[in-house]
Amino acid sequence: MNVRVLRIELRRSVAPWAGAVVLTTALAFLYLVDAAWWRGTTAWTAQWTSMALWTRALLGYLWPLAVGLGALQGLRDHRSKVSELLTTTSRPAWHRAATLAGTTAITLASAFALLVLVGAVQVLPNTKYTHLGWLPISLVGALSLVAGAVLGMGAGRALPSALTPPALAMGAFVFTALMHMSLGTEPNRVSPLSPAVQEVREVLVTLSASVHVGQTIWLLGMAATGFALLVAATPRTRLLALTPVLVGAVIALLVLPSDPRRMYVVDEAAAELVCDGPVCVTKTHQARLTGLAGPGKEALRLLHAALGGQAPVSVRENTAVLPDGATPQWYGKTVLFDFDDDIIAAAKGEELTWALIAKGMVPGCTPVGWSSFGGDQFAQTVAVGWVLGDLRSLPGTGSASLRREVDAEARPVWTELKALPRAEQLSRINAMRAAALSCKGDAFDALKGGAPR
């Protein structure tokens, strides 16, 4: 297809509109909806992998749109009543199909590339960790739009009805919705057949290589079926045209992992630690090490002065990725933290030292993916006050009413604790830490002198 043919096809087809609709719809979602893709370390403009995954997540809406627009393009000859005329020309049917499919493929791929470019321009100044591990995620995303559109064209040519485009778009949307629901509940081998991915919850998580390979095979089979349907002229050849997508699905299901833990995996290179003495962050967040090193070392010094030999000796970003509902795992000699933790994310300057002390004393036992407010926050406030010698409101507590509630619960316990002999204070603090680190007791009850529950 030369440039002249491309220009003519762009003028007489819906291909430019398809690309424009996909791009503007995606940007509208990203910029007009205040959602999770703007928050924390997993924001779509914060890291390369997060950007690639968030743009893929939008395919739950964009892919059905591409399928429907492709079907509309496939109806063009039927609407113009030139189908029989074109079959009498000497130009091969596959040549005409390649021109039609190629034009739409170029515009949709370009639209998705522009979407990724918008994200890349914003990611570049926000991170020092540059890598190419995100590229397969975006390439498969672009391929899914192209394959969906080509399949829609073939279906539109094979079923020339005004109802075909909306029916295909709705069917594609139902398919992606069902696959998304299965990803969030019980992921299985079929779940990754959806071009969309689940929401980004962990900055260190990426798609495995087997998912990339399996999805590519499935999408190539889908595109091959769409192209074959564009060329097919008889019912028999149209039935045979379904072979590639069926074969592609079978091979893909053999390649795709059945274990959910092998679909989304930890990016080992991103999780590699970068350290300044005893304070370490992942390579993903190495730009934040400078601001963390001073408060981290000061927190370790204060914890050692208060706890002696029982104090943590290092501060490290938590690289464990646990499933939703799992109980966190903590270690007494290491202060594990997450940049998305409420008190860490809200801390600035000296408050970051307080927040790290809080995480070292009472790291929190709320199950992964859940939120809670109560005993852990009260215990953290008392513990930090005990280390610093003065009761203070921790960052990230929330509204003024919540801060008053924390103070009302924590101050009497702190006052009672400080009035005890030093040995008894240490006994209660050690009981609190044992309950907090094991997540098998109530840390706040231990501070009050009660038996851990």
Side-chain angles (χ1 to χ4, degrees):
M1 181 168 58
N2 57 40
V3 176
R4 178 173 171 272
V5 173
L6 176 62
R7 285 202 305 266
I8 294 172
E9 194 63 33
L10 286 173
R11 287 198 302 268
R12 63 193 294 261
S13 72
V14 300
W17 293 105
V21 168
V22 165
L23 179 60
T24 55
T25 301
L27 293 175
F29 266 108
L30 290 170
Y31 283 97
L32 299 181
V33 179
D34 182 18
W37 50 70
W38 285 112
R39 302 191 185 105
T41 59
T42 58
W44 85 291
T45 58
Q47 299 291 341
W48 293 102
T49 301
S50 298
M51 181 270 293
L53 288 172
W54 275 121
T55 50
R56 277 286 298 275
L58 292 177
L59 292 179
Y61 306 99
L62 301 181
W63 187 71
L65 196 60
V67 173
L69 289 170
L72 185 63
Q73 177 81 313
L75 290 177
R76 185 184 65 182
D77 293 345
H78 177 75
R79 292 197 312 269
S80 303
K81 297 181 172 54
V82 295
S83 300
E84 293 183 5
L85 175 63
L86 290 174
T87 58
T88 63
T89 64
S90 58
R91 189 181 181 190
W94 70 265
H95 194 195
R96 293 194 303 274
T99 302
L100 182 67
T103 305
T104 303
I106 289 172
T107 56
L108 287 174
S110 299
F112 194 76
L114 284 173
L115 175 64
V116 171
L117 181 62
V118 170
V121 169
Q122 297 174 87
V123 169
L124 199 57
N126 289 336
T127 180
K128 289 185 178 179
Y129 179 52
T130 303
H131 62 102
L132 295 178
W134 61 274
L135 198 54
I137 301 173
S138 294
L139 289 176
V140 173
L143 176 61
S144 69
L145 288 176
V146 171
V150 174
L151 180 66
M153 287 181 215
R157 177 70 62 83
L159 302 170
S161 167
L163 298 177
T164 299
L168 280 178
M170 184 54 67
F173 178 76
V174 170
F175 172 74
T176 57
L178 290 174
M179 293 301 100
H180 181 76
M181 290 170 60
S182 68
L183 279 172
T185 53
E186 291 294 332
N188 52 60
R189 200 187 297 268
V190 178
S191 301
L193 291 180
S194 170
V197 299
Q198 66 183 19
E199 292 185 354
V200 187
R201 299 179 182 177
E202 299 284 349
V203 70
L204 299 177
V205 167
T206 188
L207 289 172
S208 66
S210 58
V211 171
H212 295 321
V213 174
Q215 289 179 334
T216 299
I217 293 171
W218 157 242
L219 292 170
L220 289 175
M222 185 187 299
T225 285
F227 189 80
L229 286 172
L230 278 174
V231 177
T234 65
R236 176 184 173 84
T237 53
R238 286 170 185 150
L239 282 176
L240 290 175
L242 299 177
T243 303
V245 71
L246 296 176
V247 172
V250 171
I251 297 176
L253 290 174
L254 294 175
V255 173
L256 291 169
S258 57
D259 186 349
R261 292 170 296 183
R262 292 176 54 217
M263 295 178 189
Y264 291 87
V265 297
V266 174
D267 185 339
E268 298 295 341
E272 184 180 336
L273 294 178
V274 179
C275 301
D276 182 344
V279 181
C280 301
V281 299
T282 61
K283 187 175 287 187
T284 299
H285 294 132
Q286 59 187 338
R288 305 178 72 166
L289 179 59
T290 302
L292 183 74
K297 293 173 183 177
E298 177 64 10
L300 291 176
R301 185 188 69 79
L302 291 170
L303 285 168
H304 184 267
L307 298 173
Q310 300 297 315
V313 295
S314 63
V315 173
R316 177 167 64 82
E317 183 180 355
N318 195 357
T319 58
V321 176
L322 302 175
D324 280 358
T327 301
Q329 299 175 358
W330 309 115
Y331 307 96
K333 289 298 182 179
T334 302
V335 178
L336 293 175
F337 72 94
D338 189 320
F339 282 111
D340 282 330
D341 186 277
D342 289 342
I343 63 173
I344 298 293
K348 296 179 181 178
E350 187 183 23
E351 289 182 343
L352 186 53
T353 299
W354 307 349
L356 290 171
I357 292 173
K359 297 300 292 182
M361 297 291 279
V362 184
C365 291
T366 303
V368 176
W370 297 15
S371 61
S372 67
F373 181 82
D376 282 346
Q377 286 74 27
F378 305 152
Q380 283 178 339
T381 301
V382 174
V384 173
W386 180 79
V387 171
L388 298 176
D390 184 22
L391 198 66
R392 308 180 188 189
S393 293
L394 293 178
T397 304
S399 64
S401 61
L402 287 178
R403 288 194 294 272
R404 286 194 296 270
E405 181 182 348
V406 171
D407 186 76
E409 292 284 345
R411 187 166 295 278
V413 177
W414 178 77
T415 301
E416 179 187 348
L417 182 67
K418 293 294 289 183
L420 295 172
R422 179 68 179 178
E424 179 62 21
Q425 290 181 35
L426 277 174
S427 176
R428 290 197 184 187
I429 289 292
N430 288 333
M432 175 206 71
R433 290 194 76 220
L437 293 171
S438 66
C439 290
K440 293 181 179 178
D442 190 308
F444 195 50
D445 271 358
L447 274 178
K448 290 187 286 187
R453 290 187 282 110

